[in-house]
Amino acid sequence: MAQASQEFGEWPLKRLMTEVVGSGPKSAGDMTREQAREAFRRILAGEPDETTLGAFWLANRWKRNNPEELAAFADVMRGESVVTAEPDCDPIDCGANYDGKHTSALLGVGAGLVAAAAGTSVVVHSGDRVPTQKATAYKHVLDELGVRTELDPEESADMVDETGFGFYYQPAFNPGIHDLYDRRDQMGVRTFVNTIETVANPANADVHLGSFYHLAFAKKMSDLIDESAELDYSRAIFFQGMEGYDDIRPGYTKVAEWDASETSGDSLDDYEIETAEYGMEMESDDLAVDDVTVDSATITEDVLAGDREDHFADAIAVNGAFRMYARQDVDSLEEGLERAREAISDGSAEAVLDDLRGF
């Protein structure tokens, strides 16, 4: 331990538990930025005892990490684990919850392909059955569609430039986080790793699209980005997605926008989207499926081929439009919807899928 202390500093996880974060959800203190950085450097290096690591993760879940701590964790992840590969274009970064969806169709693949066909380059990233849900994520729908997903980061960047849509695979671009899989699996609950992996930003994109369960979490995420020394997003949009994923829900959806150029007051603006205002009379149950992986792939194929004009087609169109709006390639969601429907009707969205399969 003395050698580890000389390498990392004065704050092994056991000491942080005893003196800072481990006294319970009401009385625990917050770590300084340097303490949080040291803690996560130790975790990535595999230094903590397994029991101590589990206790540390659980204590942080109880007390709830503040944006400064999360920014410190994210900065260490970016500096010591993430392998970035920038495409020549500047895509929008879609970082949905890595542990996936288990009830409703995953629409982000179809939405991303539609947006790409309309001129908005899109990057998505995920792992494979990430704890705790181990449910369907981007990788699994793309696999089902016959798209190659186990790419190194440079191949992922090439995919974006060649097709307009790119997938980055967590074990390849974020190996330090992937190495924590077994320990996270044994926890049985989400940890702060589930939060920071969504902003890994392997393509060094300028705009981030993410999701949240509650508006207060969107504020925490925007403050994380604002306080990070490694994340260079100039704009981020979070919304209350279905199952916490980056799919706009039917009916009412809360949206929060953060802009780095806002230097006075609160830089987070929030508003609501009502899908009924765009002629889409549907409810969340209308997008439920039996097999999320297989059905999401089939729905994506059918919508892009123009063979469906149902709620799923509407949902993919509005999510594609929102990606265009988030990257500010259109001035309004209405304009984005028009472009999305054109990309489907003229076959260009289906052509992007064909290009991906051939990559």
Side-chain angles (χ1 to χ4, degrees):
M1 181 62 72
Q3 183 177 359
S5 297
Q6 290 173 2
E7 179 182 352
F8 294 112
E10 300 179 355
W11 290 95
L13 265 61
K14 186 175 180 181
R15 182 183 177 194
L16 285 170
M17 284 291 297
T18 302
E19 299 184 25
V20 184
V21 302
S23 59
K26 294 184 179 180
S27 58
D30 294 324
M31 291 174 283
T32 66
R33 182 181 293 268
E34 286 308 310
Q35 286 172 333
R37 284 184 58 86
E38 180 180 340
F40 204 52
R41 286 187 64 237
R42 288 175 180 270
I43 291 170
L44 289 180
E47 185 262 355
D49 173 84
E50 293 178 359
T51 301
T52 305
L53 176 58
F56 181 77
W57 272 340
L58 192 57
N60 278 271
R61 179 179 173 88
W62 280 339
K63 84 169 193 68
R64 300 182 181 181
N65 292 114
N66 64 26
E68 183 179 36
E69 291 169 324
L70 292 171
F73 298 148
D75 285 349
V76 171
M77 175 186 69
R78 285 272 299 175
E80 300 193 9
S81 177
V82 174
V83 180
T84 61
E86 294 185 29
D88 292 333
C89 64
D90 185 14
I92 182 170
D93 171 63
C94 296
N97 286 335
Y98 273 37
D99 60 356
K101 301 177 74 174
H102 55 75
T103 301
S104 59
L106 193 151
L107 307 171
V109 172
L113 298 177
V114 167
T120 296
S121 298
V122 173
V123 157
V124 301
H125 41 97
S126 81
D128 189 359
R129 306 299 175 189
V130 169
T132 54
Q133 293 192 137
K134 300 184 184 178
T136 296
Y138 277 118
K139 172 180 169 53
H140 309 116
V141 177
L142 289 165
D143 284 342
E144 187 69 23
L145 286 167
V147 176
R148 193 160 59 99
T149 58
E150 296 187 11
L151 310 167
D152 65 45
E154 290 295 338
E155 288 180 300
S156 297
D158 290 342
M159 176 185 277
V160 185
D161 283 326
E162 289 188 23
T163 71
F165 180 99
F167 174 75
Y168 286 69
Y169 186 37
Q170 186 183 55
F173 80 83
N174 202 351
I177 297 299
H178 177 66
D179 287 347
L180 296 173
Y181 181 97
D182 290 340
R183 299 269 52 83
R184 295 170 67 185
D185 192 23
Q186 291 299 319
M187 282 295 296
V189 294
R190 286 176 172 150
T191 70
F192 61 73
V193 180
N194 292 77
T195 299
I196 63 171
E197 66 190 351
T198 65
V199 290
N201 195 15
N204 285 337
D206 189 51
V207 179
H208 174 73
L209 181 70
S211 62
F212 62 85
Y213 286 101
H214 304 288
L215 184 59
F217 186 76
K219 172 63 174 171
K220 181 176 290 190
M221 291 299 292
S222 66
D223 286 345
L224 180 170
I225 292 171
D226 198 23
E227 295 189 21
S228 169
E230 295 288 337
L231 292 170
D232 292 328
Y233 297 124
S234 67
R235 174 174 165 83
I237 293 189
F238 300 92
F239 58 87
Q240 199 169 16
M242 295 186 67
E243 299 184 64
Y245 221 73
D246 56 2
D247 297 328
I248 291 174
R249 63 182 63 199
Y252 167 93
T253 296
K254 192 77 170 177
V255 181
E257 291 189 18
W258 172 85
D259 193 323
S261 65
E262 297 290 335
T263 57
S264 61
D266 192 345
S267 59
L268 189 72
D269 296 322
D270 62 271
Y271 54 91
E272 296 82 33
I273 292 176
E274 289 276 3
T275 53
E277 294 180 2
Y278 303 95
M280 301 177 187
E281 297 289 347
M282 55 181 170
E283 299 178 358
S284 294
D285 288 346
D286 294 323
L287 302 182
V289 291
D290 295 324
D291 186 320
V292 177
T293 298
V294 174
D295 292 344
S296 296
T298 300
I299 289 164
T300 298
E301 288 180 306
D302 291 347
V303 169
L304 298 191
D307 294 338
R308 300 185 77 124
E309 296 183 357
D310 56 5
H311 296 315
F312 291 107
D314 284 341
I316 284 178
V318 75
N319 278 282
F322 199 75
R323 281 150 176 76
M324 301 176 216
Y325 171 77
R327 193 171 170 273
Q328 297 181 303
D329 290 333
V330 295
D331 294 328
S332 66
L333 200 55
E334 291 89 345
E335 182 184 349
L337 270 170
E338 183 178 348
R339 290 196 188 182
R341 288 176 170 138
E342 287 176 0
I344 294 171
S345 64
D346 67 14
S348 57
E350 188 177 30
V352 175
L353 177 56
D354 290 340
D355 290 342
L356 279 176
R357 285 169 165 161
F359 179 83

